[in-house]
Amino acid sequence: MRVLIVEDEPALAALLRDALARAGFALDVAHGVADAEASLRLATYDTLILDLGLADGDGLALLQALRRRGTSVPVLILTARDTPEDRARGLDLGADDYVVKPFHMDELVSRVRALLRRPNAALGVELRLGNLALHTPSRAVTVGCVAVALSAREASLLELLLRRHGRVVPRESIEENLYGFDSPTSPNAVEVLVHRLRRRLQDASATAAVHTIRGVGYMLAES
Ligand code: CA
């Protein structure tokens, strides 16, 4: 799940990035309106975290432009503007959630997860296929009743494949979702990761397996 953080305060952007990365999200940071527009042209995001007072413009204008274009990406406004009128304006312009600074990081991460559970993104807290289950808040993976230990990135890959199980997930889409623009990926990083996840699922006797669709990508399906 890929999140764009639009925040012009570098220290706060870094804190957000670290906390959301620990929760298993792939992050990109944009430092202003223009930067955010550029990122939105290049990539598809599952959620936007949007500061309002940005150096080169107002986050509300960006939100308004997005909604006018019919973009339905969930937007969480994160701002110091805290009057009821501010909140109402943000929500009326199409934000899905509104968090006032200062805020608790754990709560923010939970709110981002909650946004991803909503209908157009949505599949609930627990993702299941056959005897395999992934609890998205804790990222705990089980096969039957047995816990399977996965690295953070392996769990992210599994979540992505589970959300789209039975459909082919293109390799580039995996790369985009698991690594932001900045994280360097070796050419075969995705292959190596898929190989490791596949092995762990096999070793745990999962009834679902990761299939390679040559030249296109990967698909999680019951074997
Ligand atoms: Ca700001």
Side-chain angles (χ1 to χ4, degrees):
M1 298 290 109
R2 192 168 180 176
V3 176
L4 179 64
I5 299 166
V6 187
E7 171 60 63
D8 62 351
E9 205 180 298
L12 179 56
L15 278 177
L16 286 166
R17 168 189 281 245
D18 290 351
L20 289 160
R22 275 198 303 278
F25 295 99
L27 288 316
D28 293 317
V29 175
H31 296 289
V33 172
D35 214 9
E37 288 279 16
S39 295
L40 287 161
R41 272 194 297 274
L42 287 171
T44 305
Y45 292 95
D46 300 292
T47 297
L48 239 74
I49 296 177
L50 182 62
D51 180 24
L52 297 185
L54 295 161
D56 64 343
D58 195 310
L60 286 177
L62 175 67
L63 175 62
Q64 204 167 14
L66 274 177
R67 296 304 187 227
R68 277 203 189 121
R69 293 203 291 268
T71 309
S72 64
V73 58
V75 173
L76 181 151
I77 290 179
L78 180 60
T79 180
R81 296 180 197 167
D82 63 351
T83 69
E85 293 75 21
D86 289 324
R87 289 172 188 265
R89 192 177 310 131
L91 295 168
D92 286 347
L93 284 176
D96 299 276
D97 200 356
Y98 196 102
V99 175
V100 173
K101 298 171 183 174
F103 60 97
H104 285 282
M105 194 58 88
D106 289 349
E107 184 190 342
L108 184 90
V109 171
S110 296
R111 283 180 179 271
V112 170
R113 278 202 205 97
L115 286 179
L116 289 167
R117 288 200 294 270
R118 291 195 182 164
N120 67 356
L123 286 173
V125 172
E126 189 151 78
L127 306 174
R128 291 185 153 275
L129 182 63
N131 61 359
L132 176 66
L134 186 152
H135 182 249
T136 54
S138 63
R139 309 183 68 69
V141 175
T142 52
V143 168
C145 309
V146 181
V148 181
L150 296 182
S151 72
R153 204 153 259 173
E154 288 161 5
S156 297
L157 172 62
L158 181 60
E159 180 175 349
L160 182 64
L161 293 171
L162 270 169
R163 283 186 187 277
R164 304 183 196 174
H165 71 78
R167 285 177 283 164
V168 181
V169 183
R171 226 183 60 101
E172 304 81 67
S173 154
I174 294 175
E175 217 162 89
E176 268 189 21
N177 267 281
L178 298 192
Y179 309 88
F181 290 133
D182 304 336
S183 319
T185 50
S186 69
N188 63 348
V190 170
E191 280 84 346
V192 171
L193 188 66
V194 167
H195 181 76
R196 283 210 309 262
L197 176 63
R198 183 180 282 147
R199 271 264 283 289
R200 292 197 201 276
L201 295 181
Q202 269 167 7
D203 290 350
S205 306
T207 56
V210 184
H211 303 275
T212 302
I213 313 301
R214 208 166 272 286
V216 186
Y218 302 94
M219 181 172 81
L220 186 72
E222 284 203 82
S223 38

